[in-house]
Amino acid sequence: MTLTPPATAEAAAARVEPAAVDTIEGRSPWQLAFVRLRHDRVAVGSSAVICLIVLLAVLAPVVAHLLGHGPNQQFRTTGLSAEGIPVGPGSTFLFGTDDLGRDVLVRVLYGARISLLVGVVASGLAVVLGVIIGLAAGYFSGAVDTVLSRFMDVVLSLPYLIFAIALVSLLGPSLMVSVAVIAFFSWASVGRIVRGQVLSIKEKEFVEAARSVGAGHLRIMFVDILPNVLAPTIVYATMLIPLSIVFESTLSFLGIGVLPPTATWGNMLSESIAYYRVAWWFVAFPGLALLITTMAFNLLGDCVRDAFDPRGNRLFVAVED
Amino acid sequence: MSLLEVEDLQVSFSTPDGILRAVRGMSFSVEQGETLGIVGESGSGKSVSTQSIVGLTEGARVSGQARFEGRDLLTMGDRGLRRIRGAEIGMIFQDPLSSLHPHYRVGWQIVEMIRAHEPVSKKQARLRAIELLGLVGIPAPESRVHDYPHQFSGGMRQRAMIAMALALNPKLLIADEPTTALDVTVQAQIITLIKRLQQEFGTAVIMITHDLGVIADIADRVVVMYAGKPMEYADKRTLYHQPHHPYTEGLIGSLPQTGGRGRPLKSIPGMPPSMVQVPRGCAFHPRCGYVMDRCLDAEPPIREVHGGIDHRSACWLPPEAVGRRTDDSALAAQSARRHGGDAVIEPASAAQESTPA
Amino acid sequence: MTRQVAGEPASQVVAEPLLQLTDVVKHFPLRSSGMLAGKREYLRAVDGVSLEVRRGETLGLVGETGCGKSTLARCITRLYELTSGTVSFGSADISRLSARRLRPYRRKMQMVFQDPYGSLNPRRRVGSIIADPFAANGLAKGAERKRKVQELMELVGLNPEHYNRFPAEFSGGQRQRIGLARALALRPEVVVCDEPVSALDVSIQAQIINLLAELQDKLGLTYIFIAHDLSVVRHASDRIAVMYLGRIVEIADTEDLFTRPRHPYTKALLSAAPTPDPDLVNDAERIVLTGEVPSPVRPPSGCRFHPRCPRAQSRCHVEDPVLESKNIDEGDRAVACHFPLADGESMMPELKEPS
């Protein structure tokens, strides 16, 4: 390539314009966020902790089998002292026992199953509900928006504990009811976030462009707008999981969640408060489990938000590969 | 001594993608009362070079020299710069909303600005503010002085910014794309205003713009920037009629000309380079129609060329090769010949046709 | 209905109206200010525009911020519902059609947007953005769709292999090419270009303008070209309509308009435009308009330009001029002014109002 006459240079340049980047396939914003997450030590650490908790929850029956301690099995002779006080951590009971002589370790692991299940399922329900309603409210402004927004306001302003107690006393406490109650009181905040995002995104020219090529409402909502509100939603969902876990524990603690003798962290904490002076392990391990789990999710949520933060994206200089 | 003399200015930023070399050796000087135009496209470093001189580029590595009346602005530190900024060097920007504080009245901002530099009473400063607003053509300045920036239209805000920039009668006014966000009729008002004030107060002006029309209107001398470097220095007539650098030629050719309807514009192919990975050799070579072998690895120095007085260009084309765009056929013949041949440049036919000013 | 646009050579273009706008009005309701439940106010973005667009031509639409040119573009493409008036495509009135019945016309009228960053969905791959028109209309599935998209990319000068990239990986000029490919996917007859080059650098601007011209020749397109840069409009358009405060004040062939403007506003606008030639800059001839464009919420009475017009007479304060051809004109042009400028006449009023 020595000399190029201007006329052909121009014609050729139209085709060779993208001089800087030479990858054929671009990395999606999701992939970029994932790459950033992978390089974030906190994100990797908290994900590892979450994975470990999930693994332990899944393997809870195996651990119970290996130890030979069922979750609701009471060891009145080995698990309680002569005065009926729980036994502290030792070789038989690694985390000690509770007031009924049950193995705290096994119960914490079984509790993790309930907590994670409720946390994930309730948050998932809340997100799906919130996204759909928020999307509809933001996209169809006017009457639809007014009705849906007011409804969200009402849900958000309900004193949720009182309502939860009332609902549970009406329906009777159970796992399903807990999930439903948590989802019901969580979706509205998701809906509000989504609505706000949609309001700003639907003013973008690409939405106009979609309309001008003849795209219908559903296509615009789900193909053009939804992917753009998903990032903040995912961040919020990650934060919602620990909230739901705490919510479930609260319900259980108050005795309106999952009923004893099923092991949940809330139930265990509730049972342990009378014993915190004589049996610290009884409070400490379920409390610690709750703390570590929520912390891990919250930290991960922070990292996910950082990974999606457009500031890392703004400077488009194509040097990757 | 020139009012402002900038020599070998280098500005770089560190980004996640590497070192971004926004300005890679910029030199220029501004004389008392003249208007220097700096033209370039987005990312050419034209704004960064003046911002770094007055200390407005945070987190940048700046080197070189910038002597304002003999004092080096780059080494004097923040306190000294603050005294000079506003008082001796006034500045106006593209977006006046970002430089006017939205929560304070326009008049108050001008008053504060005056009082920060001069020991005058509030009342005096206020009278001065009203006078200035009147001077820049804001109707009923006595009442508008109490308005907030959002109550002003775009053109009025730019006028208010000019009033503020001129409040302390600076010797130099840096105007960074002051009319880009404005409509043509308002743009004409603002340019006329800047010219009038310049005549009245003898202020030197650095006009930074991408718009060659604005340059043709207001500048005396022009620097063309590309990829963080000056490509060509010339007075504006020489620049328009006898450009030497192919980039200048391309820029002027890209403009729709009167009577050129239906004919394709002579666009510059390709796009400006990433400032993280500037091409080797001449930074313009990937887009240049005259590219030769030596352009690929040897960066051309700024040298005198034969267009006019103090006409300099950073291009390996022979110094006589100015004003090519006036004759397309000569250009075509020239490039066709070169295409077949090699990097040896004989004095081109276009050079003989060009008439030194 | 199934006219093969692509096959038609540009030379056979005849001046038949393809689009006809009659008294198009678009008012945006404003939020009623304060507690006083007074009369609801409207922003009169477009306030009675009639014009025709001929097959194969480029009609330029110029005016300053807030003159309603972009709103008018969106009324034509039915992105906005009209407040009143009609838009006809060929012989069909499309201004009141339901979304479903509008679809066949949507395919014939496409739009290119101003903002190369905002007009492409950042979360979708370029191939899928360009394929949007096919997907939205259920056309060309699977491999065929991909092939068509790649053809379009080639047509606008993009590397078809970059099908799977994201908009963020393209420069402003390339993004405008992507937007253009999307607009051309359904082989439209009319393309409304809303400031297609004003966000681009000068050297890139020229590339896009050339591309638009090339595509017009190749595909026999009709353009409505909106811009505020007069030299760009002059280069690109066959005819030009000048808008001021929601109205067309003058419409004429490009050269007529530039060499012999009739409306004082046109003349002022032309004289204010910066000339990129230092020898042609002439301050004496520059008409610097005083004041700024009034609010389109309460436009001035009579002629909307009268508060800024150096030629305004008392008649202009009360009587709204209609857009019509004046007897000083031979050709096909119209102006909305009581006292239009004659050839080469200066702006200052010499004639006194006939009593």
Side-chain angles (χ1 to χ4, degrees):
Chain A
M1 111 160 218
T2 44
L3 297 166
T4 330
T8 55
E10 184 167 336
R15 225 138 286 139
V16 296
E17 228 185 23
V21 207
D22 274 325
T23 45
I24 297 297
E25 182 152 342
R27 280 195 263 181
S28 74
W30 306 109
Q31 288 166 313
L32 287 175
F34 184 71
V35 167
R36 268 180 236 132
L37 265 184
R38 245 186 12 208
H39 289 288
D40 186 339
R41 255 184 257 158
V42 179
V44 173
S46 51
S47 313
V49 170
I50 291 169
C51 286
L52 187 72
I53 294 168
V54 170
L55 197 72
L56 287 174
V58 170
L59 294 179
V62 178
V63 176
H65 181 75
L66 287 177
L67 292 173
H69 302 159
N72 297 324
Q73 207 177 341
Q74 302 178 2
F75 299 92
R76 299 203 172 243
T77 46
T78 48
L80 292 173
S81 68
E83 297 83 31
I85 301 293
V87 173
S91 56
T92 347
F93 300 102
L94 287 174
F95 284 7
T97 60
D98 69 1
D99 56 332
L100 296 177
R102 294 175 293 193
D103 188 332
V104 172
L105 171 63
V106 174
R107 285 182 67 77
V108 165
L109 293 185
Y110 271 86
R113 296 165 77 97
I114 302 279
S115 291
L116 289 175
L117 188 73
V118 172
V120 172
V121 173
S123 312
L125 277 178
V127 167
V128 170
L129 209 63
V131 164
I132 291 173
I133 294 180
L135 202 55
Y139 183 75
F140 303 103
S141 36
V144 176
D145 183 28
T146 312
V147 170
L148 292 177
S149 293
R150 288 301 147 277
F151 184 47
M152 286 191 265
D153 288 345
V154 168
V155 171
L156 284 172
S157 57
L158 291 176
Y160 65 90
L161 266 185
I162 296 175
F163 259 78
I165 292 169
L167 267 175
V168 172
S169 55
L170 210 67
L171 301 168
S174 79
L175 187 65
M176 287 292 282
V177 172
S178 299
V179 169
V181 163
I182 294 168
F184 179 75
F185 287 104
S186 309
W187 70 268
S189 47
V190 181
R192 258 201 185 169
I193 291 172
V194 171
R195 176 180 170 272
Q197 294 279 329
V198 172
L199 281 181
S200 77
I201 284 165
K202 77 168 180 178
E203 298 301 322
K204 291 271 167 66
E205 267 186 351
F206 65 76
V207 173
E208 243 182 357
R211 285 178 57 209
S212 78
V213 301
H217 292 310
L218 281 180
R219 187 176 165 80
I220 294 177
M221 280 167 73
F222 287 96
V223 176
D224 288 297
I225 296 181
L226 185 60
N228 288 287
V229 300
L230 230 43
T233 311
I234 286 175
V235 172
Y236 192 77
T238 327
M239 307 279 202
L240 198 58
I241 292 175
L243 283 178
S244 304
I245 291 175
V246 172
F247 199 159
E248 183 278 326
S249 299
T250 313
L251 292 180
S252 295
F253 184 86
L254 294 175
I256 53 172
V258 180
L259 284 182
T262 309
T264 76
W265 295 340
N267 279 343
M268 293 176 75
L269 287 170
S270 158
E271 289 154 6
S272 71
I273 39 172
Y275 293 87
Y276 74 96
R277 279 168 193 252
V278 287
W280 58 267
W281 56 90
F282 191 8
V283 192
F285 290 111
L288 217 56
L290 187 60
L291 184 76
I292 291 172
T293 311
T294 51
M295 269 262 280
F297 275 108
N298 275 325
L299 285 175
L300 183 65
D302 274 342
C303 297
V304 171
R305 175 167 42 209
D306 289 346
F308 278 119
D309 192 308
R311 261 177 309 172
N313 228 343
R314 185 155 304 161
L315 220 157
F316 165 64
V317 192
V319 287
E320 29 188 59
D321 324 302
Chain B
M1 184 176 64
S2 304
L3 181 66
L4 174 67
E5 228 166 317
V6 175
E7 246 168 71
D8 195 31
L9 181 73
Q10 312 251 2
V11 186
S12 57
F13 299 88
S14 135
T15 73
D17 299 310
I19 304 291
L20 189 147
R21 300 183 62 199
V23 182
R24 305 182 299 134
M26 173 72 173
S27 305
F28 63 86
S29 64
V30 187
E31 309 296 326
Q32 217 89 44
E34 79 161 348
T35 302
L36 175 76
I38 302 182
V39 212
E41 298 181 275
S42 42
S44 62
K46 57 187 191 300
S47 297
V48 176
S49 46
T50 45
Q51 281 165 10
S52 61
I53 292 169
V54 289
L56 290 180
T57 42
E58 254 171 69
R61 249 170 301 157
V62 184
S63 68
Q65 281 194 321
R67 282 184 304 276
F68 181 72
E69 296 187 309
R71 296 165 286 173
D72 191 351
L73 297 173
L74 300 184
T75 54
M76 72 169 40
D78 207 36
R79 272 189 59 202
L81 273 179
R82 263 209 304 270
R83 227 181 346 246
I84 286 185
R85 257 194 331 246
E88 295 182 62
I89 301 179
M91 276 168 293
I92 45 182
F93 300 101
Q94 175 177 346
D95 177 13
L97 254 197
S98 65
S99 3
L100 286 170
H101 197 292
H103 289 167
Y104 297 106
R105 297 173 198 279
V106 171
W108 185 87
Q109 296 187 47
I110 301 178
V111 167
E112 280 307 296
M113 155 90 188
I114 295 171
R115 279 164 55 82
H117 291 280
E118 276 176 21
V120 291
S121 74
K122 262 200 176 135
K123 207 172 160 205
Q124 278 172 305
R126 160 148 310 197
L127 286 176
R128 184 79 194 282
I130 292 172
E131 186 197 324
L132 282 162
L133 289 179
L135 192 73
V136 296
I138 287 178
E142 313 76 33
S143 61
R144 297 311 296 253
V145 82
H146 301 295
D147 280 0
Y148 288 95
H150 70 86
Q151 291 168 290
F152 278 32
S153 70
M156 298 243 281
R157 276 185 218 129
Q158 201 54 282
R159 284 167 192 271
M161 271 307 295
I162 295 176
M164 208 147 137
L166 294 177
L168 298 159
N169 211 349
K171 298 178 185 113
L172 176 66
L173 178 70
I174 298 177
D176 192 349
E177 304 258 13
T179 60
T180 304
L182 305 175
D183 278 318
V184 275
T185 57
V186 186
Q187 168 172 310
Q189 291 171 1
I190 296 294
I191 288 182
T192 310
L193 173 69
I194 293 177
K195 276 165 127 178
R196 201 191 81 212
L197 295 173
Q198 188 178 18
Q199 276 165 15
E200 229 162 283
F201 299 104
T203 318
V205 176
I206 299 180
M207 174 64 79
I208 299 160
T209 179
H210 69 279
D211 189 336
L212 288 159
V214 172
I215 289 287
D217 195 343
I218 200 169
D220 299 313
R221 287 186 309 123
V222 188
V223 189
V224 180
M225 274 189 93
Y226 183 79
K229 283 206 157 197
M231 292 287 128
E232 186 160 8
Y233 298 84
D235 66 273
K236 76 174 165 203
R237 281 209 161 65
T238 309
L239 190 86
Y240 279 90
H241 297 303
Q242 299 183 306
H244 180 267
H245 201 285
Y247 177 61
T248 316
E249 185 189 338
L251 267 191
I252 296 171
S254 301
L255 295 172
Q257 300 286 330
T258 306
R261 203 153 63 84
R263 262 185 280 148
L265 298 169
K266 283 177 261 164
S267 67
I268 306 177
M271 56 188 180
S274 142
M275 296 308 289
V276 178
Q277 286 177 315
V278 184
R280 267 165 58 81
C282 172
F284 186 60
H285 86 254
R287 306 176 71 190
C288 184
Y290 302 93
V291 61
M292 304 172 279
D293 278 350
R294 75 195 298 192
C295 304
L296 306 190
D297 35 43
E299 191 154 24
I302 285 276
R303 355 170 247 173
E304 290 280 336
V305 292
H306 296 187
I309 303 150
D310 198 22
H311 186 188
R312 286 170 292 152
S313 160
C315 179
W316 288 120
L317 286 177
E320 304 80 20
V322 292
R324 295 174 304 267
R325 84 183 169 99
T326 48
D327 192 342
D328 288 11
S329 55
L331 170 68
Q334 186 186 5
S335 66
R337 194 167 56 245
R338 281 221 215 95
H339 190 55
D342 210 349
V344 188
I345 294 273
E346 68 271 72
S349 58
Q352 283 138 28
E353 280 151 32
S354 67
T355 43
Chain C
M1 290 291 275
T2 51
R3 217 175 64 95
Q4 198 55 43
V5 188
E8 194 176 67
S11 58
Q12 279 180 12
V13 166
V14 278
E16 64 178 279
L18 184 59
L19 269 176
Q20 179 94 43
L21 278 64
T22 316
D23 211 20
V24 170
V25 173
K26 178 65 190 176
H27 291 178
F28 293 99
L30 298 176
R31 270 165 209 268
S32 39
S33 51
M35 301 293 286
L36 296 163
K39 210 171 63 186
R40 187 142 207 202
E41 285 196 309
Y42 290 92
L43 187 137
R44 298 158 190 274
V46 174
D47 210 10
V49 166
S50 302
L51 62 88
E52 55 178 49
V53 184
R54 298 163 193 166
R55 197 180 284 285
E57 78 167 344
T58 300
L59 176 70
L61 213 51
V62 290
E64 296 178 274
T65 312
C67 72
K69 54 191 193 298
S70 288
T71 308
L72 184 62
R74 284 163 175 73
C75 288
I76 295 172
T77 50
R78 277 285 309 271
L79 285 173
Y80 291 159
E81 297 298 320
L82 307 191
T83 305
S84 67
T86 59
V87 174
S88 306
F89 190 96
S91 51
D93 178 0
I94 61 164
S95 42
R96 304 279 177 282
L97 292 183
S98 67
R100 203 167 49 82
R101 308 231 349 245
L102 187 65
R103 232 168 224 211
Y105 297 99
R106 275 257 155 91
R107 292 174 54 176
K108 294 181 184 181
M109 275 192 307
Q110 286 296 311
M111 197 153 167
V112 176
F113 295 86
Q114 169 176 11
D115 180 4
Y117 294 85
S119 60
L120 304 179
N121 193 333
R123 302 246 168 224
R124 296 179 58 197
R125 290 174 195 273
V126 164
S128 113
I129 291 176
I130 298 176
D132 226 12
F134 301 128
N137 292 284
L139 301 165
K141 304 241 159 57
E144 194 201 350
R145 187 179 288 177
K146 181 171 175 182
R147 185 179 54 78
K148 285 200 163 183
V149 168
Q150 295 196 323
E151 275 171 19
L152 285 163
M153 292 179 76
E154 193 121 29
L155 183 70
V156 298
L158 292 166
N159 183 345
E161 292 187 351
H162 295 157
Y163 180 88
N164 268 329
R165 286 196 182 170
F166 284 86
E169 296 167 78
F170 292 88
S171 68
Q174 290 174 317
R175 286 168 181 229
Q176 256 347 21
R177 290 175 196 264
I178 296 168
L180 199 53
R182 170 175 58 193
L184 295 176
L186 299 174
R187 288 293 143 105
E189 296 180 31
V190 182
V191 178
V192 180
C193 307
D194 184 13
E195 306 252 15
V197 297
S198 37
L200 305 176
D201 272 322
V202 190
S203 68
I204 309 296
Q205 253 186 20
Q207 294 173 2
I208 300 295
I209 293 172
N210 287 346
L211 175 65
L212 283 170
E214 194 186 302
L215 291 171
Q216 184 169 39
D217 282 352
K218 214 184 274 180
L219 307 176
L221 297 171
T222 303
Y223 286 140
I224 297 174
F225 191 94
I226 300 171
H228 65 266
D229 184 332
L230 289 165
S231 61
V232 166
V233 179
R234 181 177 196 172
H235 183 88
S237 316
D238 300 308
R239 288 193 307 143
I240 292 178
V242 182
M243 283 188 78
Y244 185 78
L245 271 183
R247 295 267 176 89
I248 289 179
V249 296
E250 183 163 9
I251 181 163
D253 285 347
T254 301
E255 285 318 305
D256 284 342
L257 188 94
F258 272 85
T259 49
R260 292 172 293 143
R262 294 282 180 248
H263 198 285
Y265 177 66
T266 312
K267 177 138 189 172
L269 197 63
L270 296 182
S271 80
T275 331
D277 186 338
D279 295 338
L280 298 179
V281 174
N282 187 345
D283 281 344
E285 258 180 40
R286 172 169 293 168
I287 302 139
V288 175
L289 286 178
T290 51
E292 311 208 356
V293 183
S295 155
V297 177
R298 289 187 212 92
S301 66
C303 172
R304 294 176 176 208
F305 186 56
H306 87 255
R308 302 174 75 194
C309 182
R311 289 166 72 86
Q313 314 268 329
S314 55
R315 182 180 167 195
C316 305
H317 294 233
V318 285
E319 198 183 321
D320 201 357
V322 284
L323 183 69
E324 57 186 7
S325 15
K326 300 282 173 187
N327 46 15
I328 44 171
D329 281 314
E330 57 302 331
D332 164 40
R333 62 187 300 181
V335 58
C337 181
H338 295 305
F339 307 103
L341 295 152
D343 289 359
E345 190 186 353
S346 100
M347 272 288 260
M348 295 326 287
E350 279 148 37
L351 61 164
K352 281 281 154 271
E353 193 175 5
S355 50

